[in-house]
């Protein structure tokens, strides 16, 4: 057993898991294990009683509108506990439908309004536009100097780009003071017009990037791990760099597809 451990809470794995989003769980688990860290994964389903104060990282994937309707009420019951955890600096990664429900609301194009929990100061409106395709974003401009120093220190990393796959008709609108996750280089992002993708509040991230996101973007997977460990053990925690040659090949393959793809609304 290691002296270092991470508690990972995976919300609604049975309902919110599109386009390989479970790969985000696997990526975090393996990258911790390769470093000798213990990981305890708690799968949180509807009605389960859990203590989010014990969580270090919270993950929730995407789902179709029907799946979001199924879990929305249960998620709403957890609003206070989740918001308290996020305020305390717990890391969270929410993808697509989860991102929408971590905002104030998602109104489908049929007019059905699903209440969110308001972690992010955003809202989402359904549309007739289907935004689909491989995506490339750049997160550099929206990282703080402290973040950049942390990410580039002793690392071979040169850019803060992310690749992913988006497929959504919901258009997410950020309030004026909300920090986007990244700038769209290729793809549609939050609404197909703003050139912004996702958002961030404290250590919680919302994004439309499926893929799964983390296996092809190891710097961001490690960033979540480092944020979680620094919160739990202090800023002197050391995380060794791994051999990312396979992950880099996957990243550049996806980047090439994104840059050469013909993306249109369908």
């Amino acid at each position: 057993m290691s002296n270092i451990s991470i508690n990972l809470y995976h919300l609604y794995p049975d309902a919110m898991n599109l386009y390989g989003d479970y790969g985000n769980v696997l990526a975090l688990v393996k990258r911790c294990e390769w470093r000798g860290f213990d990981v305890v994964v708690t799968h949180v389903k509807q009605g389960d009683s859990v203590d989010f104060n014990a969580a270090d990282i919270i993950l929730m994937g995407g789902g179709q509108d029907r799946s979001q309707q199924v879990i929305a009420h249960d998620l709403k019951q957890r609003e206070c506990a989740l918001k308290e955890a996020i305020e305390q600096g717990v890391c969270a990664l929410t993808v697509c439908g989860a991102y929408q429900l971590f905002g104030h609301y998602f109104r489908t194009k049929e007019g059905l309004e699903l209440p969110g929990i308001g972690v992010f100061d955003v809202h989402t409106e359904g549309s007739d536009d289907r935004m689909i395709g491989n995506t490339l974003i750049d997160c550099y401009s929206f990282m703080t100097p402290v973040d950049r120093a942390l990410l580039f220190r002793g690392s071979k990393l040169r850019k803060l780009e992310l690749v992913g796959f988006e497929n959504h008709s919901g258009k997410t609108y950020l309030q004026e003071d909300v920090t986007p996750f990244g700038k769209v280089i290729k793809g549609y992002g939050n609404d197909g017009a703003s050139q912004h993708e996702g958002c961030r509040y404290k250590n919680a991230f919302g994004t439309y990037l499926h893929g799964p996101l983390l296996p092809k973007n190891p710097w961001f997977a490690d960033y979540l791990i480092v944020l979680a460990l620094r919160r739990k053990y202090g800023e002197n925690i050391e995380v060794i760099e791994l051999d990312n040659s396979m992950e880099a090949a996957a990243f550049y393959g996806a980047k090439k597809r994104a840059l050469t793809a013909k993306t249109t609304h369908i």
Side-chain angles (χ1 to χ4, degrees), residues 121-137:
D121 195 7
V122 308
H123 69 275
T124 302
E125 301 283 350
S127 77
D128 292 323
D129 297 326
R130 174 59 60 177
M131 291 164 277
I132 181 170
N134 292 294
T135 303
L136 176 67
I137 69 170

Side-chain angles (χ1 to χ4, degrees), residues 72-120:
H73 176 73
D74 189 88
L75 180 67
K76 192 68 177 175
Q77 303 306 305
R78 305 180 190 277
E79 176 177 344
C80 291
L82 283 167
K83 292 175 83 169
E84 180 179 350
I86 299 302
E87 290 295 332
Q88 295 300 317
V90 171
C91 292
L93 174 63
T94 61
V95 179
C96 199
Y99 169 35
Q100 295 170 347
L101 292 179
F102 268 55
H104 293 300
Y105 64 84
F106 167 43
R107 183 181 293 119
T108 70
K109 66 178 182 180
E110 292 79 18
L112 176 64
E113 184 171 306
L114 301 179
I117 61 174
V119 168
F120 303 129

